[in-house]
Amino acid sequence: MRKTNPKSQYLPFFLCSLLFISCSPGEPDTSPDRTYQNRLNNHTDWGIYRGHSSGIQYSELDQIHTGNVQSLKKVWEYHHGNPVGPGMYANPIVIDGLLYFTTPEVNAVALDAATGEELWVFRPDDYRNDERPFRGRNRGLTYWEDEKGDNKRILNFVKDRVYAIDALTGTLITSFGENGWIDLRKNLPQDPEQVDFEATTQGMVYKDMLIIGGRTPEGAPSTPGDVRGYNALTGEFKWIFHTIPQPGEFGYDTWEFEDDVSYGGTNPWGGLTVDEERGWVFFATGSPAPDFIYGGMRKGENLFANCVIALDASTGERIWHYQTLRHDIWDYDLPPAPILATVTRAGAARDIVVQLTKQGLTFVLDRETGEPVFPVVDLPVPASKVPGEEAWPTQPFPLKPPPLNRTTLREADLSNITPETREYVLEIFRQHETGPLYTPASMAGVITMPGHQGGAEWGGAAFDPATNVLFVNINEAPTIHSLVPLDIDTASASPLARGKALYNTSCTACHGVDKKGNPPLHPPLQNLQIGGDSIKSVLRYGRGMMPAFAQFTDRQLDDLIVYLQHNGGDPKENPAKTGTSNSSQAPRYANVAPFFVDQDGYPAIAPPWGTLNAVDLDKGEILWKVPLGEYPELVAKGIRNTGAKSFGGPVVTAGNLVFIAGTPDEKIRAFDTFSGQVLWEYQLPAGGYATPSVYQVAGKQYLVITAGGGGKNGTPHGDSVIAFALPD
């Protein structure tokens, strides 16, 4: 259903259709006196990422329900025409019969939400001078209009820019920012030329304030993960909240800063949510950089890393914060934005904030104060054995709800899907250390459960306000966390040795020590068959799951290429003993964090490897837990119901259905909210690593999913957007 130049032919007809739809019985009032947020939070559109400014991923529509979902059929499929990496993560937004989403090139596309017909495509590469097209992980777009219903625009977040696009024509609004865009390298406490920032999750608008967070590098050097506010009409910079406190700011004394270290990270890459009545914006931060399993250069509690934070959306002033993890050395980012739910009990309503974690812990906080709703206890955790590291001695553990996944790994927990698998993983298990949750990494290697892809992911959860129940997909996957000493003095080392040092600080977490790889997602980098210019292009611009390393200087890139192309022995020039240098600098270590997997790349823990969970947020109890997804290769061998890693979130509807995709079997499913039973499933043409959207046009309810494949499950790429509805 792709049209090459539909704007002049189709748009006039569409505008007439839109006028008819807006006046149809049962559709929301489109008069201009409605506030912006009320307009986008109406029950028939899906006007905001995750469906609502509160992030509850819920639809009041019930035309599709448990009694008829078996009849759900595909009604249209759109192909964007370029099935490349990294895939499509977009949760489409739908406003007034128009559906908007982003492609892997972060092109913004507008479709007729009822037919899938293409209306326009905005290509941001037309406005950049880069050597190659940018491709990035991107979760969609933001819509904004002013209080009078004018200035309708789509905000497209592309790497380190925000473009303003006319929502009806797809043309650039040149009065916004600098000739149509905001340069997100600016207005940070860092030289713009050194900034490496990527807006992977779109911003949120409160009234006329566009609020933006994003992704920054996890290695060294990095960029601060500060949150910023801009005027949504003009693009003018308004305020900033420093997630790494500056001198004189609250929280500065929770860090032991070193003079020679560039601090970054502590960023809300999972997005934001807004409480419109209070005028507050909420976000959740990740771990600090550099190095996610060694923090000897940033000792202390490290506020505002791993925090739930509420700010005044108009000014950026902090209202409250709650830290879920102190001094993160496990890459336990808080992946989704906080969920703003209202729990009703005995007729009384209580506003809460729900924060999901990679550890499988669920923090339920009072929205007004940030205090825990259920008891949270501070428990002692293991100390670090690594010189220079000071793991924080205690960590907070919520007593309710219980953990949504296993938090330790014993020999009895190892995979036994085949005798060969058991023997393979047992041998690896006995070669490494183990311990309870929050056991620090060591040079011998510690098996961490869950690993950095365990627990909840960026897809968040869906909350049903009618039943107080939260639905969340959970991964169960261990990681082996090791530290490798950096044993060279880079000041006097050769380019080869400097390249190895840079590799150790930036690349080992994915590609392993000595370029050996970290299968199944991260290939070995030994004996590369591509030239230096091609390597530099990949490093500078990224490819597929690999991010860009724009923060590297030309000299650093050249050094790294020397090491990547070196196929001889280990460079040993200018060795220096670990912990010694020309200054009082602490010892330095590189991190290595391969997944603990069996001989075929499946998690080394016994199934289930992925589950869908129903959690009663009133009582703090798990109501049910069922396996989510399968691996087709194992099903062919008769090994079923294993569950699988999933990436992308669920949505829940008033029809008592939970819709979710995200699994490597490339299916989208509908679950009964009360029993967890699968009532419907559909084989997608590629993995749907995104959150579905639910909306209504002209009285007809639709379900839509972007199916771009690729992603962390490594399935083939696709280019489909698929909508489902009941037969007429």
Side-chain angles (χ1 to χ4, degrees):
M1 292 189 176
R2 191 163 187 262
K3 301 186 76 170
T4 56
N5 185 18
K7 195 180 301 179
S8 60
Q9 302 174 29
Y10 185 73
L11 192 55
F13 170 76
F14 173 76
L15 293 176
C16 294
S17 304
L18 184 58
L19 180 62
F20 172 78
I21 291 170
S22 67
C23 299
S24 299
E27 290 297 305
D29 175 24
T30 56
S31 59
D33 60 349
R34 282 184 301 152
T35 66
Y36 161 75
Q37 273 81 12
N38 286 340
R39 175 162 153 67
L40 296 192
N41 287 330
N42 75 74
H43 74 280
T44 56
D45 284 350
W46 192 268
I48 304 177
Y49 176 58
R50 301 173 70 184
H52 195 278
S53 57
S54 63
I56 60 174
Q57 297 172 209
Y58 170 76
S59 172
E60 298 177 21
L61 298 174
D62 61 1
Q63 185 180 96
I64 303 169
H65 52 73
T66 55
N68 62 18
V69 68
Q70 298 88 345
S71 301
L72 206 58
K73 303 293 183 184
K74 182 179 76 172
V75 292
W76 58 257
E77 180 173 357
Y78 170 85
H79 297 278
H80 65 72
N82 194 7
V84 296
M88 284 191 293
Y89 300 84
N91 173 224
I93 58 173
V94 180
I95 301 101
D96 290 340
L98 267 174
L99 182 148
Y100 305 92
F101 75 100
T102 51
T103 70
E105 301 97 329
V106 203
N107 293 339
V109 181
L111 308 177
D112 181 328
T115 67
E117 291 291 335
E118 181 185 292
L119 304 180
W120 55 255
V121 178
F122 174 81
R123 295 178 172 84
D125 283 337
D126 293 344
Y127 302 93
R128 298 187 74 105
N129 296 320
D130 294 337
E131 298 175 13
R132 56 172 295 208
F134 173 73
R135 294 173 182 149
R137 287 170 281 184
N138 183 279
R139 298 181 181 104
L141 300 157
T142 297
Y143 177 89
W144 181 78
E145 63 183 40
D146 63 24
E147 292 294 324
K148 296 181 179 180
D150 299 328
N151 295 297
K152 297 178 173 65
R153 60 188 55 183
I154 292 293
L155 299 167
N156 188 16
F157 300 78
V158 185
K159 186 62 171 72
D160 47 23
R161 288 185 180 183
V162 184
Y163 295 88
I165 311 163
D166 185 286
L168 295 181
T169 65
T171 56
L172 187 67
I173 301 173
T174 56
S175 61
F176 178 81
E178 304 174 20
N179 300 313
W181 61 80
I182 299 171
D183 187 344
L184 296 176
R185 298 174 302 168
K186 299 179 179 179
N187 306 119
L188 287 169
Q190 190 177 46
D191 181 347
E193 294 301 318
Q194 301 300 317
V195 166
D196 189 347
F197 181 91
E198 183 178 355
T200 52
T201 303
Q202 60 273 55
M204 185 68 73
V205 182
Y206 171 71
K207 295 185 176 178
D208 62 353
M209 189 66 67
L210 170 62
I211 307 166
I212 300 171
R215 178 187 181 278
T216 59
E218 292 184 329
S222 187
T223 294
D226 298 339
V227 177
R228 290 168 283 176
Y230 296 83
N231 183 281
L233 178 64
T234 66
E236 179 186 1
F237 172 71
K238 289 295 185 179
W239 57 256
I240 187 169
F241 176 82
H242 296 124
T243 59
I244 300 177
Q246 301 294 294
E249 293 182 341
F250 181 89
Y252 182 78
D253 59 356
T254 67
W255 296 69
E256 293 184 25
F257 292 102
E258 293 186 358
D259 293 337
D260 60 341
V261 176
S262 174
Y263 291 90
T266 314
N267 53 307
W269 57 269
L272 311 104
T273 46
V274 169
D275 182 323
E276 293 143 15
E277 292 185 3
R278 290 176 172 86
W280 297 356
V281 61
F282 293 79
F283 57 91
T285 56
S287 56
D291 300 336
F292 68 77
I293 56 176
Y294 177 73
M297 76 294 292
R298 51 171 175 82
K299 297 174 183 177
E301 292 175 287
N302 301 149
L303 286 179
F304 291 97
N306 307 89
C307 280
V308 182
I309 303 173
L311 304 181
D312 183 311
S314 297
T315 67
E317 293 296 319
R318 181 178 58 90
I319 307 296
W320 58 257
H321 74 276
Y322 186 90
Q323 191 169 29
T324 64
L325 173 60
R326 308 177 188 106
H327 189 69
D328 184 5
I329 49 176
W330 300 272
D331 192 30
Y332 280 154
D333 294 346
L334 293 176
I339 299 162
L340 310 183
T342 299
V343 172
T344 304
R345 184 177 191 182
R350 183 176 188 178
D351 291 342
I352 61 174
V353 177
V354 183
Q355 186 58 56
L356 301 167
T357 70
K358 288 185 179 180
Q359 303 95 294
L361 307 178
T362 305
F363 289 86
V364 183
L365 310 173
D366 183 272
R367 200 182 309 173
E368 186 69 25
T369 66
E371 294 297 317
V373 171
F374 300 111
V376 175
V377 294
D378 229 30
L379 298 178
V381 293
S384 176
K385 301 176 182 178
V386 176
E389 180 62 272
E390 292 183 13
W392 199 258
T394 62
Q395 296 293 352
F397 288 81
L399 299 185
K400 286 187 174 183
L404 300 178
N405 49 244
R406 290 161 282 187
T407 58
T408 59
L409 183 62
R410 298 163 297 181
E411 188 170 307
D413 299 315
L414 296 176
S415 178
N416 57 359
I417 57 173
T418 68
E420 295 78 16
T421 294
R422 179 73 175 185
E423 181 179 352
Y424 181 90
V425 299
L426 183 59
E427 181 179 356
I428 297 175
F429 178 83
R430 290 174 174 172
Q431 293 172 2
H432 295 88
E433 302 174 16
T434 58
L437 186 63
Y438 302 128
T439 298
S442 71
M443 286 181 277
V446 171
I447 297 176
T448 301
M449 181 64 203
H452 57 285
Q453 279 188 5
E457 269 290 341
W458 55 264
F463 175 71
D464 187 343
T467 60
N468 298 327
V469 177
L470 187 80
F471 302 92
V472 55
N473 50 313
I474 292 291
N475 294 338
E476 302 234 17
T479 299
I480 303 173
H481 279 167
S482 304
L483 292 172
V484 178
L486 300 179
D487 57 356
I488 64 154
D489 179 0
T490 57
S492 58
S494 69
L496 177 60
R498 291 197 306 266
K500 179 183 178 182
L502 186 60
Y503 176 91
N504 283 340
T505 58
S506 303
C507 308
T508 53
C510 291
H511 294 286
V513 177
D514 299 328
K515 304 178 285 188
K516 293 180 180 178
N518 182 9
L521 292 181
H522 307 295
L525 299 179
Q526 299 163 328
N527 302 312
L528 290 177
Q529 301 299 312
I530 60 176
D533 289 343
S534 296
I535 296 174
K536 181 175 286 190
S537 178
V538 173
L539 289 170
R540 191 176 295 278
Y541 298 106
R543 185 176 69 185
M545 289 295 296
M546 180 175 168
F549 287 90
Q551 76 273 26
F552 288 172
T553 65
D554 287 337
R555 174 180 167 175
Q556 287 176 314
L557 288 173
D558 291 339
D559 291 345
L560 187 54
I561 290 170
V562 169
Y563 176 65
L564 291 173
Q565 291 182 321
H566 175 71
N567 295 320
D570 193 35
K572 294 294 184 182
E573 293 106 322
N574 303 303
K577 293 182 180 179
T578 301
T580 64
S581 69
N582 296 328
S583 68
S584 59
Q585 185 185 74
R588 291 291 189 261
Y589 300 86
N591 64 71
V592 186
F595 302 116
F596 183 21
V597 296
D598 68 15
Q599 70 275 24
D600 296 315
Y602 304 110
I605 196 170
W609 299 320
T611 59
L612 182 64
N613 300 260
V615 182
D616 186 327
L617 289 182
D618 175 29
K619 299 178 181 178
E621 299 174 353
I622 299 175
L623 300 179
W624 51 256
K625 178 189 292 284
V626 296
L628 174 63
E630 294 183 306
Y631 289 93
E633 318 85 52
L634 294 181
V635 172
K637 298 177 181 179
I639 303 172
R640 305 187 63 94
N641 299 316
T642 60
K645 285 185 181 180
S646 60
F647 300 94
V651 298
V652 62
T653 73
N656 299 321
L657 295 169
V658 177
F659 292 101
I660 187 169
T663 52
D665 54 16
E666 303 173 314
K667 293 181 179 180
I668 184 170
R669 296 175 169 88
F671 291 80
D672 185 303
T673 59
F674 293 103
S675 67
Q677 180 184 358
V678 177
L679 301 180
W680 170 84
E681 63 181 25
Y682 180 88
Q683 185 69 53
L684 297 168
Y689 305 124
T691 300
S693 305
V694 178
Y695 60 93
Q696 179 176 300
V697 176
K700 190 178 187 69
Q701 181 180 343
Y702 295 83
L703 167 75
V704 68
I705 183 76
T706 55
K712 293 181 179 179
N713 272 328
T715 56
H717 290 109
D719 68 340
S720 295
V721 182
I722 302 176
F724 304 89
L726 296 173
D728 292 330

